[in-house]
Amino acid sequence: MVFRALAVCGVFLLSAGLVQAQVPDACASPKEAVHEKGFVQIGGIPQWVTINGDHCDNPVVLLVHGGPGNPMSLFADRMYGAFETDYTMVQWDQRGAGMTYGKNRPSDDTPLTFEQITKDGIELTEYLTRRLGKRKVIVMGGSWSSIIAVRMIKARPDLFTAYLGWSQIVNYRDNSTATYNLLLDKAREAGDLDSAARLEALGAPPWTDPRNFGIMRRIDRKYENQATDPAPKDWWQPAPEYATPQAEADYTAGEDYSYLQFVGLKGDGMYSRVDLPALGTQFDVPIFLLQGEADYLTLPKISRAYFDTLQAPQKAFILLPRTGHDPNQVMLDAQRDVLNERIRPLAE
């Protein structure tokens, strides 16, 4: 089926109030291609979902985007188009982000919570299993979405073949303090008086000023850029339907809204409550973590220490050279390798 199928189906679900168990199968035959995009009723609101793959019998990969507020749907063709030969790739604009934000504009005081977005992700996964005729899907996520993905596999391991993560966030205090100390050391060693002064003025986290995280992140990006290979520039050219003035305005507004929810007006946002070890270290889903050696925002030593405590049916931790917090070609190549070599056999 093509765009019209999902768009019409989504409208019908919204207007008729049907349960998602009645969603028709998207695939008439195993070798049929699937290309759908539209709003699906998730968590009580229409949320933007795209589904693309060359063959319906391929494993399904749900890519949970980061940020929060930074959907990958607008860049997916350039970044993940090559994956569609072997996988059905699903992109999802979370509540408060991208096309979903534009369709359901929240007030500034409408809260975002881990619990709600995790429930949304699980409900979407249930929808995908019915829509695509699968028992389980593969979930991928990095940075912000590494928090959501871990919560999803912890809550509903029966829905997931495996978790493939990168730039794994672990704990607010551990991650933030380690990043702050590393950047301050690098600035002082480099004689970077401006960055050192900015960091010293912030003081070590936790912070109560919502601007502080952004200041540190800009310094982090500067130093990561010196130690990593950049992503291809054409990755960040949005597909035409996402390049309209309205879509761009919705993306920016959703990013601003989600960021404030993340850090909080007084440093009391969602990030301040991140503590994945508190969820428990026993998992019933295989876990594969990719980590950039030059990731200064989620440092390898923090991710590795967390990974070493995890008990899972299978697990692997892979360090990537010339790679930082944000994805580059090294990261995408590693994602595809792990999918092909480690996870696809589990799906089959």
Side-chain angles (χ1 to χ4, degrees), residues 117-194:
I117 297 177
T118 300
K119 287 180 181 178
D120 289 349
I122 290 170
E123 188 175 337
L124 171 60
T125 304
E126 292 173 331
Y127 169 86
L128 294 172
T129 60
R130 289 190 289 269
R131 183 79 178 143
L132 299 170
K134 304 292 184 180
R135 289 193 310 111
K136 298 183 178 184
V137 308
I138 300 160
V139 63
M140 291 174 55
S143 192
W144 155 260
S145 56
S146 73
I147 305 168
I148 301 302
V150 165
R151 296 178 70 102
M152 288 168 62
I153 65 170
K154 190 69 175 173
R156 287 294 305 276
D158 57 301
L159 290 174
F160 301 102
T161 302
Y163 164 49
L164 173 54
W166 62 94
S167 302
Q168 182 68 52
I169 295 177
V170 176
N171 174 280
Y172 166 68
R173 286 183 178 270
D174 291 348
N175 281 118
S176 295
T177 300
T179 294
Y180 176 84
N181 289 337
L182 176 73
L183 293 176
L184 185 56
D185 287 345
K186 283 186 173 294
R188 288 170 173 169
E189 290 170 4
D192 182 355
L193 301 181
D194 179 67

Side-chain angles (χ1 to χ4, degrees), residues 12 20 24 37 41 50 65-66 78 101 140 142 162 181 205 246 270 286 294-295 303 309 333:
F12 186 64
Q20 289 195 357
K37 52 188 172 183
Q41 186 80 346
T50 69
H65 71 71
R78 295 178 184 273
Y101 176 91
M140 291 174 55
N181 289 337
Q246 186 60 60
M270 290 184 288
D295 183 344
S303 300
T309 69
D333 289 345

